[in-house]
Amino acid sequence: MPPRIRIRPRALRLRTSHSFSPINHTYASLATATTPAPPIDQTIRSAAPVLRYPANQPPSHKPPEVRKTQLHRQYQSLLRSSPLILLFQHNNLKAVEWMSIRRELAIALNKVDAEREKNGQELFANDIKLQVIQTGIFGSALRVVEFYNPEETLLDHAQHPTDPRTATSAQIPQTSNKPEDTRFKHGLSREAWEVASNKKLKHELEPLLSGPLAVLSFPSVSPEHLKSALSILAPSSDFPAPKRKTNPDLYEPAVQGGLQKLMLLGARVEGKVFDQDGVKWVGGIAGGIDGLRAQLVAALQGAGASLASTLEGASRSLYFTMESRRLDMEETEKGDKKE
Amino acid sequence: MITRFITDVRVKFNPFSPRSKPARIFLSLIPPSARAEGMKIESKILPRASKEPSTLALKFKDGKEMNLELDKMRIPEVMEQVNRHSRILARKEELSGN
């Protein structure tokens, strides 16, 4: 056990107060100011670049705090992230009707998901949303998504980490904090706005974008989910609505009254525009993408077999023609000899 | 737009034609409870390739039928035409004291 040393705080305090003599005190105003020379490192190399704005909020053309701008950004990301979007016109639906339609849609999609879960396939019933959109802003966002395709990213202008002038390995675009900077490539940048406001560019979906609209967006082109969504929202002979016995909630007046006012106008499937019949065709693809692959394989196998037979057939027929020609020539030769 | 006196609406349009706009806006002008109060509304959506003009057929409570070629009109003109007859009916109703 080490020896115990007693701490005597009182004694310590006495000693320190003794060393504290008034002679050492000086006034700040009397001190001669000496600025230390900057470290040699700073004089040789440039200072580390500083990003003048939050990395996920580059300066936008329109004021970023406005609802319009945020909706624009939201719709762009919706258009980019969902390959299958159905467009509906809604004519004065009541809140109760919206609520009950959404409920029925969610129930139907969850049923599809339950079946897919058994097969171990991807589930996305929770990501399929029916939402009312601001038509004009959606149209503008669509133009940006379709017509504005910047190739280079902002980081092409960044200082390379191996560049000796760079004091840090952080890659930061050398852009200013002004929306006028032409190096900004994001969807809300001034350049995107200029490209999208070109009146000469026309998009096929544009005639649809007028009046009150709602979109149903799917995170993936899944004909199964589309089929069940269509059977609820736009029932037809190809996609009949579930029977009253199996699904009595669907026949409540709130749901049916709402569905009468909801009109399917068209769809945007992987950048292509489809009308109602096109939507039905997409919904009618049996088995989804896997089913299509199976069909393709079968078609290719069939094509292989028929190709082999045609190639064989050509050689066979060639043989026949040559043979007949030989016989023919022999006959004529014989004939010549006879004459 | 006065929709009280309309009993029957038939609209036909191709949404992919820019001329279908008045037809679609007309549908959106019908109040939310119109169907529940007995107005019959039938809207037919034509396929994308069809060149058929968009049309609107209306029936009023007094039996008058109105057929409008929507692709040559704008929505204020359509509303004007419909309101002209609806106002006559409204005046009659008021005078008869119901």
Coordinates of all heavy atoms in Angstrom, one line a residue, chain A residues 6 12 36 43 57-58 66 85 115 148 152 172-173 176 185 188 193 206 219 221 252 262 277 280 307 317 319 329 336:
Chain A
R6 N -1.1 13.3 2.8 CA -2.2 14.2 3.2 C -2.2 15.4 2.3 O -1.2 16.1 2.2 CB -2.1 14.6 4.7 CG -2.6 13.5 5.6 CD -3.0 14.1 6.9 NE -3.8 13.2 7.7 CZ -4.1 13.5 8.9 NH1 -3.8 14.7 9.5 NH2 -4.9 12.7 9.6
L12 N -1.7 24.9 0.5 CA -1.5 25.1 -0.9 C -1.9 26.5 -1.3 O -1.2 27.3 -2.0 CB -2.3 24.1 -1.7 CG -1.6 22.8 -1.9 CD1 -2.6 21.9 -2.6 CD2 -0.4 22.9 -2.8
P36 N 1.7 37.0 -34.5 CA 2.6 35.9 -35.0 C 2.6 35.7 -36.5 O 1.5 35.9 -37.1 CB 2.0 34.7 -34.2 CG 0.6 35.0 -33.9 CD 0.6 36.5 -33.7
T43 N 1.0 29.8 -46.1 CA 1.5 30.7 -47.2 C 1.8 30.0 -48.5 O 1.6 30.5 -49.6 CB 2.8 31.4 -46.8 OG1 3.7 30.4 -46.4 CG2 2.5 32.4 -45.6
Q57 N -28.8 21.5 -50.0 CA -29.6 22.6 -50.4 C -28.9 23.6 -51.3 O -28.6 24.7 -50.8 CB -30.1 23.4 -49.2 CG -31.1 22.6 -48.3 CD -31.4 23.3 -47.0 OE1 -31.2 24.5 -46.9 NE2 -32.0 22.6 -46.1
P58 N -28.5 23.3 -52.5 CA -27.8 24.3 -53.3 C -28.8 25.4 -53.7 O -30.0 25.2 -53.7 CB -27.4 23.5 -54.5 CG -28.3 22.3 -54.5 CD -28.7 22.0 -53.1
V66 N -40.5 28.7 -50.3 CA -41.9 28.8 -50.8 C -42.4 27.4 -51.0 O -41.7 26.5 -51.5 CB -42.0 29.6 -52.1 CG1 -43.4 29.8 -52.6 CG2 -41.3 30.9 -52.0
I85 N -46.9 5.7 -63.2 CA -47.7 6.7 -62.6 C -49.1 6.7 -63.4 O -49.1 6.8 -64.6 CB -47.1 8.1 -62.7 CG1 -45.9 8.1 -61.8 CG2 -48.1 9.1 -62.3 CD1 -45.2 9.4 -61.9
E115 N -49.9 -12.2 -51.0 CA -49.6 -13.3 -51.9 C -48.2 -13.3 -52.4 O -47.6 -14.4 -52.5 CB -50.6 -13.3 -53.1 CG -51.9 -13.9 -52.9 CD -52.7 -13.9 -54.1 OE1 -52.2 -13.8 -55.2 OE2 -54.0 -14.0 -54.0
Y148 N -34.5 18.2 -69.1 CA -33.2 18.7 -68.6 C -32.4 17.5 -68.1 O -32.7 16.9 -67.1 CB -33.5 19.6 -67.4 CG -32.3 20.2 -66.8 CD1 -31.4 21.0 -67.5 CD2 -31.9 19.9 -65.4 CE1 -30.3 21.5 -66.9 CE2 -30.8 20.5 -64.9 CZ -30.0 21.3 -65.6 OH -28.8 21.8 -65.1
E152 N -22.7 16.4 -66.7 CA -21.7 16.4 -65.7 C -22.3 16.7 -64.4 O -23.3 17.4 -64.3 CB -20.6 17.5 -66.1 CG -21.3 18.8 -66.5 CD -20.3 19.7 -67.1 OE1 -19.2 19.7 -66.6 OE2 -20.6 20.5 -67.9
I172 N -15.4 19.4 -52.8 CA -16.4 20.4 -52.7 C -16.5 21.2 -54.0 O -15.4 21.6 -54.5 CB -16.1 21.4 -51.5 CG1 -16.2 20.7 -50.2 CG2 -16.9 22.6 -51.5 CD1 -15.7 21.4 -49.1
P173 N -17.7 21.3 -54.6 CA -17.7 22.1 -55.8 C -17.4 23.6 -55.6 O -17.8 24.1 -54.6 CB -19.2 21.9 -56.2 CG -19.9 21.6 -55.0 CD -19.0 20.8 -54.2
S176 N -20.4 29.4 -56.3 CA -20.7 30.5 -55.4 C -22.0 30.2 -54.8 O -22.7 29.2 -55.1 CB -20.7 31.8 -56.1 OG -21.7 31.7 -57.1
K185 N -26.5 22.0 -61.2 CA -27.1 21.1 -62.1 C -28.3 20.5 -61.5 O -28.9 19.5 -62.1 CB -26.1 20.0 -62.5 CG -24.9 20.4 -63.2 CD -25.2 20.9 -64.6 CE -24.0 21.4 -65.3 NZ -24.2 22.4 -66.3
L188 N -33.8 22.3 -59.4 CA -34.3 23.6 -59.1 C -33.4 24.7 -59.5 O -33.7 25.9 -59.2 CB -34.6 23.7 -57.6 CG -35.7 22.9 -57.0 CD1 -35.8 23.1 -55.5 CD2 -37.0 23.2 -57.7
W193 N -34.5 25.5 -65.0 CA -35.7 26.4 -65.2 C -35.7 26.9 -66.6 O -36.7 26.9 -67.3 CB -35.7 27.5 -64.2 CG -36.8 28.5 -64.5 CD1 -38.1 28.3 -64.3 CD2 -36.7 29.8 -65.1 NE1 -38.8 29.4 -64.7 CE2 -37.9 30.4 -65.2 CE3 -35.6 30.5 -65.5 CZ2 -38.1 31.6 -65.7 CZ3 -35.8 31.8 -66.0 CH2 -37.0 32.3 -66.1
E206 N -48.7 16.5 -71.9 CA -49.1 17.8 -71.5 C -50.6 18.1 -71.7 O -51.2 18.8 -70.8 CB -48.3 18.9 -72.3 CG -47.3 19.5 -71.3 CD -46.1 20.2 -72.0 OE1 -46.4 21.1 -72.8 OE2 -45.0 19.7 -71.8
P219 N -43.7 2.3 -57.1 CA -42.3 2.3 -57.0 C -41.6 1.4 -58.0 O -40.4 1.4 -58.2 CB -41.9 1.9 -55.6 CG -43.1 1.2 -55.2 CD -44.3 1.7 -55.9
V221 N -42.7 -1.2 -61.8 CA -43.8 -1.6 -62.7 C -44.2 -3.0 -62.3 O -43.6 -4.0 -62.7 CB -43.3 -1.6 -64.2 CG1 -44.5 -1.9 -65.1 CG2 -42.8 -0.2 -64.5
E252 N -69.9 0.6 -50.2 CA -70.5 1.6 -49.4 C -70.7 2.9 -50.3 O -70.0 3.1 -51.2 CB -69.5 2.0 -48.3 CG -69.5 1.1 -47.1 CD -68.5 1.6 -46.1 OE1 -67.9 2.7 -46.2 OE2 -68.3 0.8 -45.2
L262 N -64.1 9.8 -60.1 CA -62.6 9.6 -60.4 C -62.5 9.0 -61.8 O -63.1 8.0 -62.1 CB -62.0 8.7 -59.3 CG -60.6 8.8 -58.9 CD1 -60.3 10.2 -58.4 CD2 -60.3 7.8 -57.9
D277 N -56.4 2.2 -72.7 CA -56.2 0.8 -73.2 C -54.8 0.3 -73.0 O -54.6 -0.8 -72.7 CB -56.5 0.8 -74.7 CG -57.9 1.2 -75.0 OD1 -58.8 1.0 -74.1 OD2 -58.2 1.6 -76.1
K280 N -54.5 -0.8 -69.5 CA -55.1 -2.2 -69.3 C -54.2 -3.2 -69.9 O -54.0 -4.3 -69.3 CB -56.5 -2.2 -70.1 CG -57.5 -1.6 -69.3 CD -58.8 -1.6 -70.1 CE -59.8 -0.6 -69.4 NZ -60.9 -0.3 -70.3
L307 N -35.8 -21.8 -86.5 CA -34.7 -21.4 -87.3 C -33.9 -22.6 -87.8 O -33.6 -22.6 -89.0 CB -33.8 -20.5 -86.4 CG -32.6 -19.9 -87.1 CD1 -33.0 -18.8 -88.0 CD2 -31.6 -19.3 -86.0
S317 N -34.4 -28.1 -99.7 CA -35.0 -27.7 -100.9 C -33.9 -27.4 -102.0 O -34.2 -27.7 -103.2 CB -35.8 -26.4 -100.7 OG -35.0 -25.3 -100.4
Y319 N -31.3 -29.1 -102.3 CA -31.0 -30.5 -102.7 C -32.0 -30.9 -103.8 O -31.7 -31.4 -104.9 CB -30.9 -31.4 -101.5 CG -30.8 -32.9 -101.9 CD1 -29.5 -33.4 -102.3 CD2 -31.9 -33.7 -101.9 CE1 -29.4 -34.7 -102.7 CE2 -31.7 -35.1 -102.2 CZ -30.5 -35.5 -102.6 OH -30.4 -36.9 -103.0
M329 N -31.6 -32.0 -116.8 CA -30.5 -31.9 -117.8 C -30.2 -33.2 -118.5 O -30.0 -33.3 -119.7 CB -29.3 -31.3 -117.1 CG -29.4 -29.8 -116.9 SD -28.0 -29.2 -116.0 CE -26.8 -29.1 -117.4
D336 N -31.4 -35.0 -126.8 CA -30.4 -34.5 -127.8 C -29.8 -35.7 -128.6 O -29.7 -35.7 -129.8 CB -29.3 -33.7 -127.2 CG -29.9 -32.3 -126.8 OD1 -31.0 -31.9 -127.3 OD2 -29.2 -31.6 -126.0

